[in-house]
């Protein structure tokens, strides 16, 4: 789906807590509880069984970092069914291979730069001229140490047509 953004917000979750959806608040609580200094999580601390209701909206990926420490790509390891419906199947694929994912590149670069969870909100128009809002939390993860080398994201979408609104 080729989406054209009309508006885009990207910043630390801690600065956008009041803007989180109810489900994002629950997701955040499950990850960090009341920890206001939330930064990254260990991969071993994320148990998919505990997040079962969120899995259709979750993606997880390996960060591909070059020798200079620059984030070059993200290889998707897990992608929920609701995300696949919007973006297509990307499991085991690198997704920042060109400029077509520039918003995603901005989001993961910001997360990698500040080593803290990122909140995003985007307003799009899709190919069928339906209105689509997308909001995400992207969290840095560490696997095998304290270096951020993975990310996990939780994304919600809202479609609006002239007759109805559908949230998923």
């Amino acid at each position: 789906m080729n989406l054209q953004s009309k508006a885009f917000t990207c910043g630390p979750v801690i600065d956008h807590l009041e803007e989180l959806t109810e489900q994002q608040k629950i997701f955040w609580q499950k990850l960090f509880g009341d920890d206001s200094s939330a930064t990254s999580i260990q991969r071993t601390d994320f148990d998919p069984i505990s997040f079962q209701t969120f899995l259709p909206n979750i993606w997880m990926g390996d960060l591909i970092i070059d020798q200079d420490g620059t984030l070059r790509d993200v290889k998707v390891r897990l992608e929920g069914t609701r995300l696949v419906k919007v973006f297509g199947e990307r499991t085991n694929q690198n997704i920042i291979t060109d400029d077509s994912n520039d918003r995603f590149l901005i989001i993961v670069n910001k997360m990698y730069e500040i080593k803290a969870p990122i909140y995003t909100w985007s307003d799009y128009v899709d190919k069928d001229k339906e209105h689509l809002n997308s909001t995400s939390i992207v969290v840095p993860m560490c696997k095998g140490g304290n270096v951020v080398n993975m990310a996990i994201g939780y994304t919600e979408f809202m479609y609006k047509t002239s007759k109805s609104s559908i949230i998923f």
Side-chain angles (χ1 to χ4, degrees), residues 21-47:
T21 68
E22 290 305 312
Q23 289 300 304
Q24 285 175 324
K25 289 175 184 175
I26 295 168
F27 182 78
W28 182 258
Q29 276 294 120
K30 287 180 80 63
L31 282 177
F32 296 107
D34 294 325
D35 183 3
S36 63
S37 65
T39 55
S40 61
I41 62 172
Q42 291 291 324
R43 171 60 184 97
T44 54
D45 291 340
F46 178 76
D47 175 18

Side-chain angles (χ1 to χ4, degrees), residues 53-115:
T53 59
F54 297 96
L55 288 178
N57 296 71
I58 287 179
W59 65 270
M60 187 182 307
D62 296 326
L63 304 181
I64 299 172
I65 313 297
D66 69 14
Q67 292 178 346
D68 297 327
T70 302
L71 176 65
R72 293 294 178 198
D73 215 325
V74 177
K75 184 172 188 170
V76 176
R77 292 292 175 198
L78 169 86
E79 188 164 37
T81 54
R82 290 188 181 140
L83 301 178
V84 170
K85 286 180 184 177
V86 174
F87 299 113
E89 180 59 60
R90 302 179 300 180
T91 303
N92 293 320
Q93 295 179 23
N94 293 358
I95 57 175
I96 306 175
T97 54
D98 57 36
D99 291 336
S100 65
N101 286 304
D102 58 342
R103 288 183 303 272
F104 187 75
L105 181 60
I106 291 167
I107 295 163
V108 293
N109 268 318
K110 181 79 166 176
M111 178 217 60
Y112 185 69
E113 173 190 324
I114 68 172
K115 307 292 191 270

Side-chain angles (χ1 to χ4, degrees), residues 104-137:
F104 187 75
L105 181 60
I106 291 167
I107 295 163
V108 293
N109 268 318
K110 181 79 166 176
M111 178 217 60
Y112 185 69
E113 173 190 324
I114 68 172
K115 307 292 191 270
I118 295 295
Y119 165 83
T120 69
W121 183 89
S122 296
D123 183 19
Y124 301 106
V125 177
D126 75 10
K127 65 181 180 181
D128 297 322
K129 306 297 184 211
E130 292 178 336
H131 187 76
L132 171 68
N133 291 333
S134 168
T135 181
S136 299
I137 296 174

